[in-house]
Amino acid sequence: MSRNRVFVPVITTLMSADPFIHGDDNNIQYKISYGHELENQNLVFKIQMVGNGYIKGRQAPSYSDKDFDQIVKIKEILRIEYKKMDHRLRDIELSEEEVKQRIENL
């Protein structure tokens, strides 16, 4: 049985969460994306919690000030990349390293 996706990311990255907030054992990351919901062409910025490789769909994201500041920078990087790319593409992922390099070059 396949599930229809509500949110379809165009460009995304993963960011490791502050272990002080979420604990070392939880392996928590943030999935930060630009994309579309429900086939709407309006661009959506979305932050999702990821634990052990799975999106925690019912868990609202929470982040430290340090993480939030980093998310704001990543949002700008994803927005810039989105503007440069073919908007028909889906699920393009930038690695954490690629994002860090782009932040340094801002």
Side-chain angles (χ1 to χ4, degrees):
M1 178 172 126
S2 69
R3 269 178 77 185
N4 288 335
R5 293 165 65 175
V6 172
F7 177 73
V8 180
V10 174
I11 188 164
T12 189
T13 192
L14 293 172
M15 178 186 128
S16 298
D18 185 344
F20 182 75
I21 301 296
H22 296 288
D24 289 325
D25 298 336
N26 292 332
N27 193 22
I28 299 294
Q29 295 176 299
Y30 303 107
K31 182 176 181 183
I32 306 167
S33 310
Y34 264 107
H36 305 279
E37 285 192 347
L38 302 173
E39 299 178 17
N40 185 335
Q41 289 307 304
N42 292 324
L43 190 58
V44 173
F45 175 69
K46 189 163 194 152
I47 303 169
Q48 298 167 295
M49 301 286 289
V50 176
N52 296 318
Y54 295 97
I55 293 175
K56 300 165 124 322
R58 298 191 181 268
Q59 183 174 349
S62 60
Y63 17 79
S64 67
D65 278 349
K66 178 181 149 239
D67 281 351
F68 183 76
D69 291 343
Q70 189 70 7
I71 288 167
V72 170
K73 292 175 187 173
I74 291 171
K75 177 186 180 290
E76 181 64 16
I77 297 299
L78 294 182
R79 187 182 66 77
I80 290 167
E81 293 299 317
Y82 176 84
K83 284 184 172 186
K84 294 191 295 189
M85 64 191 294
D86 180 345
H87 298 165
R88 295 172 294 178
L89 297 173
R90 298 292 183 259
D91 297 314
I92 304 302
E93 186 171 337
L94 294 177
S95 71
E96 280 190 80
E97 273 306 309
E98 289 174 301
V99 170
K100 285 177 186 175
Q101 289 173 352
R102 285 173 171 84
I103 287 172
E104 290 172 5
N105 293 327
L106 273 182

